[in-house]
Amino acid sequence: MRKLLLPLAASVAAIFSASAIDYNVTGKISGLDGKKMYMFDYDIKKNIDSALISDGTFTFKGSYPRPALVRIENGQHFSNCVIDPAPVVVDFTTHLPSSGSETNMKLNIPKEKEREIDVKIGALRDSIMALQIPEEEKIAIFEPKSKPIIGSYIDWLEDFIVENPDGVGESAIMTYGNQIFIVTPEKWNALYNRLPAYLKGLEVTKHFNKTYSQMAKAAEGKPFIDFMGLTLDGKDAKLSDYVGKGKYVLVDFWASWCGPCRQEAETVLKPLYQKYASHPKFEILGVGVWEDAEQTKAFLNKNLTLWPQIIGTGQEPMNLYGFQAIPMIILFGPDGTILKRQLRGDNLVKAVEEVLK
């Protein structure tokens, strides 16, 4: 049946793109009379319409050339919907349409599926937590049992994306593409090859395609990719000044504004550094990303670091190594080969202990 659906999906996308779509989007919001709601196109990252709020209500009416996923917003108030010929009512509590066409109501389906998966994962976690065994044994049991549950959701999401060649599929791609700790480059490529033309042409799809392509180039077993930055005293520095020099190097890509980065450094990296500070074959390196050098330096001046840092790299390392979330921690071998990536917590400690034993 799916082979029959794909040509149909492509045809629908072609029809949508051939003529403008008239839309009518309404909603209610209190306390904002006299202000405006804005319609934001996620894919091109621009406001495409605005509507005045009067007597606690607003209405968008207009035409748009494609069935885009849009965000209706004013400050912290927002809801998503799809440009569609049928009238849509958005809800700022659920952040989804409360009524509209079948297309718009489909935006609720992935959320319902996520809740279903959360219930299953929660039940599994509770059953394992009840066992009278050490914590590390609980983790060892939980991880392999949870993977098939999460994997079933990812597989379901792939089919859902392919069968919805409009803003619904666009929304699901945004969810799918951001699962970089679950989705592999191979899985992304398999999905990409199934996508209808409309979804392939979206900027968000092109973005993820580039990201997963870089992930493949910087996968475990691949050689390191060099980049430039600065030392704390402003001198030029390269990743190759540390990696590929005969040591195992744990590289922590982080930013000063990133709470999880700071926590990982304090609770995991610091004890690890203290344990192996005198080991001749091990080193930790911090790489400040996603902010300018002065921001990183100001933080480090107040919070002294124990290991060397390369700062002022911007987003270049993120682009080269194909990641969008931090902390990203990668273990490099003595010859510069990527041994493990996306390390956190106990898995990080175990990976280091394994190579240094």
Side-chain angles (χ1 to χ4, degrees), residues 26 65 134 137 156 162 200 256 338:
T26 63
E137 291 184 26
W156 174 87
V162 172
K200 270 189 178 179
S256 64
I338 299 170

Side-chain angles (χ1 to χ4, degrees), residues 37-281:
M37 276 288 170
Y38 295 92
M39 181 180 286
F40 178 84
D41 183 327
Y42 276 102
D43 200 53
I44 64 172
K45 296 180 172 56
K46 288 183 180 179
N47 288 328
I48 59 173
D49 200 354
S50 63
L52 185 67
I53 304 168
S54 179
D55 294 328
T57 64
F58 61 87
T59 300
F60 290 92
K61 284 187 177 182
S63 296
Y64 205 58
R66 60 189 184 85
L69 175 71
V70 295
R71 178 182 174 105
I72 309 301
E73 64 180 357
N74 178 295
Q76 296 180 338
H77 305 282
F78 76 92
S79 184
N80 295 329
C81 68
V82 176
I83 296 291
D84 187 78
V88 182
V89 179
V90 294
D91 187 299
F92 294 105
T93 301
T94 63
H95 309 299
L96 292 168
S98 59
S99 68
S101 66
E102 180 183 357
T103 295
N104 262 290
M105 299 316 292
K106 278 185 178 181
L107 284 173
N108 291 277
I109 296 177
K111 295 298 180 184
E112 293 169 1
K113 192 70 175 179
E114 286 175 24
R115 285 191 287 269
E116 178 186 318
I117 296 299
D118 284 344
V119 169
K120 290 181 179 180
I121 291 291
L124 173 64
R125 184 183 296 111
D126 291 345
S127 67
I128 294 174
M129 290 300 293
L131 299 174
Q132 301 300 311
I133 58 176
E135 287 298 315
E136 57 269 20
E137 291 184 26
K138 292 179 181 179
I139 294 172
I141 295 172
F142 176 78
E143 289 186 350
K145 285 184 175 292
S146 64
K147 282 183 179 179
I149 299 174
I150 298 170
S152 68
Y153 170 68
I154 293 298
D155 292 342
W156 174 87
L157 194 59
E158 290 171 353
D159 290 341
F160 184 80
I161 290 168
V162 172
E163 292 165 7
N164 289 279
D166 49 33
V168 176
E170 180 181 346
S171 175
I173 282 179
M174 290 167 63
T175 298
Y176 184 91
N178 281 314
Q179 307 304 311
I180 63 169
F181 294 102
I182 302 170
V183 176
T184 63
E186 292 76 20
K187 282 190 72 65
W188 170 262
N189 287 338
L191 171 63
Y192 182 80
N193 290 334
R194 295 175 59 200
L195 289 180
Y198 175 77
L199 295 180
K200 270 189 178 179
L202 294 174
E203 291 303 314
V204 66
T205 306
K206 295 174 185 177
H207 167 74
F208 285 130
N209 210 37
K210 183 177 180 180
T211 295
Y212 282 99
S213 175
Q214 282 303 130
M215 281 180 65
K217 293 177 183 177
E220 293 175 5
K222 298 289 187 179
F224 79 96
I225 305 171
D226 209 3
F227 56 81
M228 294 285 296
L230 300 170
T231 62
L232 289 178
D233 57 3
K235 296 179 180 178
D236 289 341
K238 297 183 293 184
L239 182 66
S240 57
D241 293 337
Y242 302 88
V243 172
K245 301 294 186 182
K247 291 184 178 183
Y248 292 98
V249 184
L250 194 66
V251 180
D252 173 30
F253 297 92
W254 69 288
S256 64
W257 49 262
C258 170
C261 298
R262 298 195 301 268
Q263 182 177 12
E264 193 79 7
E266 184 64 27
T267 61
V268 182
L269 295 180
K270 186 175 180 180
L272 197 64
Y273 175 85
Q274 292 169 336
K275 181 177 181 179
Y276 292 109
S278 61
H279 198 291
K281 290 289 187 178

